[in-house]
Amino acid sequence: MDRLDWNQLRAFLETAETGSLSAAARKLGLTQPTLSRQVAAIEQRLGVTLFARVGKAMQLTATGLDLLEHARAMGGAAEELALVATGRSEAVEGMVSISASDAVAAYLLPRAVQRIRQVAPRVVVEIVTSNALSDLRRREADIAIRHVSPDQPDLIARLLREATASFYASEAYVAAHGHPRTADEAAAHDFIGADRSGRFLEYMRAHGLPLTTANFPLYSENSVTAWELVRQGLGIGAMMDDVARLTPGVVRVFEALDCVRFPIWLVTHRELRTARRIRVVFDMLALHLSGREGPQPPPGA
């Protein structure tokens, strides 16, 4: 048997992990037909059937399950090799991917990226927008902006600062419905909900707001969309104070309530921290997101 092709092995691994060709193709940045050919090729090369195709799902056969752990070990070794090689690179050029939540990616990262482009114009920045924690070891991102401290020993992190979030409404909403300042006034107002499962409602009640589902005429799990609904006067919503300061036409409400406080961590893999391009981007992000560059004006100011 010829040596295995790494691209085919990766196609097998990601299809096994995601359970579908379409999801694996998106993760690898391939078309679904290309990925399907790679899976078929490794099956042909090994002379076995690795997957049973059930509708759109790809279920591992008994043989596929037997080979999966071996493939994971080979994939882990290849990822480790790539991490070490990337970490030794001294060129301040090439791709650096940054993972961040949707609000941070949309509102805070652009100014940081603008500065990175000035300092390192040959670095290509990819912003991975996700509210889930990116797996840095599997190279889902090179650098992650998180609100929780990592617990993996091969990750290094820098606590940049403690950020705050508050409740906001548009000036038009306040003009039409009044300016609520205390928790007792909350029941008379509309809010933008984050989910329909009840978790966000419980969170709001835990912060002293006597709300019911009747106070939520709109929902959006995407905080950028939710913030736009707030900005256009459709209800009250929570947002990072950093973002609110960059948004004309919104005012803080419920000033009697304490701000919600949460940390901002900058995280990367230990090996990647030695790569110059990643180190430069990491340091520029740390400078910008820690607030040490001083207050920034709203866009267009």
Side-chain angles (χ1 to χ4, degrees):
M1 181 181 67
D2 295 336
R3 292 181 178 178
L4 286 177
D5 182 292
W6 168 238
N7 290 325
Q8 295 172 7
L9 179 65
R10 223 171 32 144
F12 165 59
L13 275 172
E14 292 300 340
T15 303
E17 297 287 355
T18 60
S20 78
L21 289 171
S22 58
R26 286 193 299 270
K27 195 166 184 180
L28 294 175
L30 302 173
T31 64
Q32 184 171 327
T34 298
L35 187 76
S36 181
R37 285 194 297 270
Q38 290 178 348
V39 170
I42 194 171
E43 288 182 321
Q44 183 177 5
R45 177 164 291 187
L46 294 174
V48 296
T49 300
L50 299 172
F51 296 99
R53 291 154 177 82
V54 181
K56 295 183 178 181
M58 300 287 283
Q59 294 183 358
L60 283 166
T61 63
T63 302
L65 283 170
D66 289 340
L67 296 179
L68 180 58
E69 288 307 314
H70 298 287
R72 281 174 174 160
M74 295 172 67
E79 289 165 3
E80 191 68 30
L81 177 64
L83 283 169
V84 173
T86 303
R88 300 297 181 266
S89 173
E90 289 300 309
V92 188
E93 61 183 2
M95 177 71 70
V96 178
S97 56
I98 305 166
S99 172
S101 66
D102 48 15
V104 171
Y107 301 118
L108 302 186
L109 269 185
R111 293 176 183 275
V113 171
Q114 183 179 39
R115 183 59 178 153
I116 290 167
R117 297 288 301 136
Q118 294 170 348
V119 172
R122 298 178 67 181
V123 167
V124 178
V125 176
E126 178 189 23
I127 297 177
V128 180
T129 304
S130 174
N131 291 329
L133 295 182
S134 297
D135 189 337
L136 299 185
R137 187 173 182 84
R138 297 193 65 184
R139 300 300 297 276
E140 291 181 355
D142 297 319
I143 300 170
I145 301 166
R146 296 180 177 177
H147 302 308
V148 294
S149 173
D151 53 11
Q152 297 94 332
D154 52 355
L155 299 182
I156 59 174
R158 184 184 301 178
L159 177 59
L160 301 183
R161 63 186 171 92
E162 188 178 67
T164 57
S166 305
F167 291 101
Y168 290 90
S170 72
E171 293 173 349
Y173 179 92
V174 169
H177 303 283
H179 187 136
R181 300 183 186 277
T182 66
D184 293 339
E185 301 173 79
H189 290 274
D190 290 337
F191 288 76
I192 310 300
D195 62 70
R196 291 186 294 163
S197 67
R199 288 177 298 180
F200 187 69
L201 176 57
E202 291 176 6
Y203 179 83
M204 301 283 269
R205 287 173 174 170
H207 281 77
L209 297 175
L211 303 177
T212 69
T213 55
N215 293 106
F216 294 91
L218 293 167
Y219 293 89
S220 177
E221 292 186 0
N222 183 287
S223 56
V224 174
T225 301
W227 188 234
E228 186 62 18
L229 295 173
V230 170
R231 196 185 68 80
Q232 295 204 28
L234 294 171
I236 294 170
M239 180 51 71
M240 292 177 63
D241 294 326
D242 294 321
V243 173
R245 282 191 288 269
L246 296 172
T247 308
V250 297
V251 294
R252 184 182 172 191
V253 295
F254 300 115
E255 297 96 317
L257 298 179
D258 292 334
C259 297
V260 176
R261 299 184 179 276
F262 55 94
I264 296 180
W265 289 88
L266 202 57
V267 187
T268 190
H269 194 279
R270 191 174 301 279
E271 290 288 350
L272 294 182
R273 189 66 175 88
T274 61
R276 285 193 65 203
R277 72 177 187 276
I278 294 175
R279 186 167 65 248
V280 166
V281 172
F282 189 98
D283 290 342
M284 291 304 303
L285 287 172
L287 179 65
H288 184 87
L289 295 175
S290 65
R292 285 179 287 164
E293 286 192 330
Q296 299 291 326

